[in-house]
Amino acid sequence: MMHVMRKEKTSARAAAKDATHERIVSVAARAIRRSGYDGTGVADIMKEAGLTHGAFYAHFASREAMLAEAAGRACAESASAAAQVVATTPTDKALASMLGAYLSKEHLEHIDVGCPLAALGCETSRQVPEVRRVTTLHIKEMIDLMARQLPDWGQPGAHERALVTISTMVGALLLARAVDEPALSDALRQAALKHLSPTGS
């Protein structure tokens, strides 16, 4: 009986630790997109997660380890959102839906839950190898998802078109967020959307 109770307490403790770890990673995934890698400090993350600074090292060996997990979470959330758009749209409308969702004003305004490529792309080259590896895998996943929505999927040019499409989407969103003129921001998004649209409109 005592052995069973001890095991239950251990399991409950492990589950609580896992839940806390998930909370920290979730908060950090939003924070890096909102404030950048360099603008995301351990103390701020722990405070936002409702935990003490000292509790951090029970979950991560270093700040870099946390950033790598946070980057992975941000990428997974972004990939899931894109896949959801595809899954809930008729096949012939999937490309237009992906483009519309990515280049929307809503996506522009919600950087903390949006694409980590547009939010963090300029900083990523200066990050630890683990962060760059996670980002690289996400880019490849997004290119593959995009290629499968193109009319010429399976043909030699589809992969290259997917590369150009993803690059244009991310670049347009990044620039649309960078400028301080709303009209120019809208024009950047709309021009990219028009250029990339399968109908050209």
Side-chain angles (χ1 to χ4, degrees):
M1 182 69 170
M2 190 69 109
H3 178 70
V4 172
M5 287 177 65
R6 214 176 271 129
K7 191 172 181 181
E8 285 177 352
K9 282 184 181 177
T10 303
S11 296
R13 198 176 298 121
K17 184 175 180 179
D18 287 346
T20 299
H21 188 92
E22 284 296 302
R23 187 158 83 249
I24 297 169
V25 174
S26 180
V27 167
R30 292 177 70 117
I32 59 173
R33 285 175 280 187
R34 182 178 62 240
S35 306
Y37 289 115
D38 292 341
T40 301
V42 170
D44 294 331
I45 295 299
M46 297 305 280
K47 183 178 179 182
E48 192 176 334
L51 300 163
T52 63
H53 190 166
F56 175 82
Y57 292 101
H59 296 275
F60 303 96
S62 64
R63 176 177 174 273
E64 288 70 27
M66 177 194 69
L67 292 179
E69 272 201 59
R73 174 64 59 83
C75 288
E77 289 173 356
S78 180
S80 177
Q84 181 68 14
V85 169
V86 171
T88 56
T89 308
T91 304
D92 62 334
K93 305 286 185 191
L95 176 58
S97 293
M98 276 184 74
L99 293 169
Y102 193 94
L103 293 166
S104 68
K105 189 150 191 174
E106 182 181 11
H107 191 194
L108 175 89
E109 293 173 347
H110 293 89
I111 192 170
D112 62 330
V113 293
C115 174
L117 303 179
L120 298 161
C122 294
E123 292 184 58
T124 303
S125 64
R126 297 186 293 276
Q127 301 309 306
V128 294
E130 292 80 4
V131 169
R132 296 190 69 190
R133 172 67 356 209
V134 164
T135 304
T136 299
L137 292 173
H138 177 58
I139 291 169
K140 290 168 80 171
E141 183 179 8
M142 293 307 294
I143 290 167
D144 181 61
L145 179 63
M146 177 58 68
R148 283 186 272 126
Q149 312 318 312
L150 296 174
D152 57 348
W153 179 45
Q155 301 301 312
H159 180 72
E160 185 173 312
R161 278 190 61 201
L163 292 172
V164 172
T165 301
I166 293 294
S167 298
T168 305
M169 288 164 59
V170 173
L173 187 61
L174 190 155
L175 293 177
R177 284 179 176 151
V179 299
D180 65 356
E181 296 178 12
L184 178 56
S185 179
D186 288 344
L188 285 161
R189 289 186 301 105
Q190 293 304 322
L193 189 57
K194 181 178 180 181
H195 179 74
L196 296 172
S197 170
T199 61
S201 59

